[in-house]
Amino acid sequence: MSKQGKDFSKYFDFTGARVLKEEEGKTTYRINGRDITVNAAPNYKEEKRRGKEAIQVHYETATPPELMELGKGKLYHITTYGCQMNEHDTEVMKGMFEQMGYAPTEDRNEADVILLNTCAIRENAEDKVFGELGHLKHLKIEKPGLILGVCGCMSQEESVVSRIMQKHSFVDLIFGTHNIHRLPYLLQDALFSKEMVVEVWSKEGDIIENLPKKREGMRGWVNIMYGCDKFCTYCIVPYTRGKERSRRPEDVIAEVRELARQGFKEITLLGQNVNAYGKDFEDLNYRFGDLMADMAKIDIPRIRFTTSHPRDFDDHLIEVLATRGNLVEHIHLPVQSGSTEVLKRMSRKYTREMFLELVAKIKRAIPDAILTTDIIVGFPGETDEQFEETLSLVQEVGFSSAYTFIYSPRVGTPAADMEDNIPEAVKKARLARLNRIIEDLSRESNEAEVGRTVEILVEGVSKNNANVLSGRTRTNKLVHIEGPVEWIGQFIEAKVTEAKSWYLKAEPVLEYRMEEAVS
Ligand code: SAH
Ligand code: SF4
Ligand code: F3S
């Protein structure tokens, strides 16, 4: 590395910034009275680049022995926003904190380190984080020794890092999604330098194995791949998460086997587009269908996956899923829009007809499969007719539920340059209409379950009623059931007695309980 500092001024709005120090590729600035050391800064152009860097898999432990005591007697707290990918990154960071001797706390007032693991997918996700920073400022004033960090997808955005450096200078640490394994070093720097430390790599991304993970409960997330190469025109993820890269099958299989050994009951395989798994292996012809076939051989009751992109959903995968066993009958298949024209402008690379054909294939192979989806309304230029096409597709497929969103322009994405010509009121009205239809479909799908006997994995006590347990069917439907807390973590056979829009009520099947009691 050069002894010279790097000039980061092209990355940010550097109004009022003064260079204090340059060394070893790092540059320290003084901005509005705060010293800020930048090791690396986000850059959209670099984040968009694909194919230049070879992916490397690193098998190393994150925490060096000399940092194992860094957090002795201290408490950490992480607030997580966004998708399961972020939730799982939080589990990795918790693992690292605890390796450094930190203990967890739910109470931010007593924490010595607070991290916000952020999401950049829509504007309201970002607004929440900036709102939260406002609250945390007071805490920081009361407790100057507190280390306050921002990580996750928002840190990969130039505009966000710039805004924090200029306007939220009480933040101590900003690091990106490619820098998670560097947490112990960055924390040490922030603690001892008293400067704000910024390290956001804009790499295509490597794979870091052997990081510690702190999982809780009976359900575990396992990354099978990272990043995304699809570049849907509205989406920021390919910029914030780097290129599509798959973990080696042997590493995934070993991790799932170990979780089975530890008694986990359900595994969700994670990726932005799990169907692209293995496409990046140069030495191996092994795809997602092959991985699922190997998962089916592991002694763990349920295997799920999220998310699948319709484009790479191949016949072999459908064939493997149809063998069932521990592979559950639920597929989350984001469609985004029912209009071929809109899909084209979104660069989803499939048509309405192709999507319907895929659904038909899945239903032929797995007639009782439950399908759920994601939909965006109010994409630039979406006409009333095109929106109607979304409604008709939703009804034709009969999705059991859906995450629905109003389009939110993201700086740096192609759609942000398209004319956003749909009035806010129209977007809201479309969302409300869509949601009513989804609610009806969800209730219908739930009503079809009444009278059936289902297997429930009991996850905990219901959020709204302490006397009721809540769990999930294989198809991921939420079920409320009365029973003792000892059932938490167990599978219970139950008969569905009532259907609500968003959940089922069920009663345990008695014979099953007696059998359990005897064995
Ligand atoms: N990789 C997944 C999606 C991850 S993001 C997939 O391709 O299916 C989760 C959902 O957020 C997306 O499916 C999309 O419906 C929504 N989304 C993404 N970018 C958005 C934006 N700019 N505005 C509104 N919704 C968006
Ligand atoms: Fe975003 Fe599309 Fe990638 Fe999903 S597939 S993460 S929507 S770019
Ligand atoms: Fe949000 Fe990043 Fe996930 S933008 S949805 S946390 S990949």
Side-chain angles (χ1 to χ4, degrees), residues 460-466 468-470 472 478 480:
V461 173
S462 158
K463 274 191 202 134
N464 306 323
N465 184 346
V468 174
L469 300 175
S470 75
R472 299 255 169 196
L478 180 64
H480 286 178

Side-chain angles (χ1 to χ4, degrees), residues 81-86 118-121 153 236-237 240-241 272:
Y81 303 83
C83 64
Q84 287 99 332
M85 204 69 71
N86 250 22
T118 63
C119 170
I121 201 82
C153 287
I236 192 116
V237 173
T240 64
R241 292 275 169 175
Q272 288 302 342

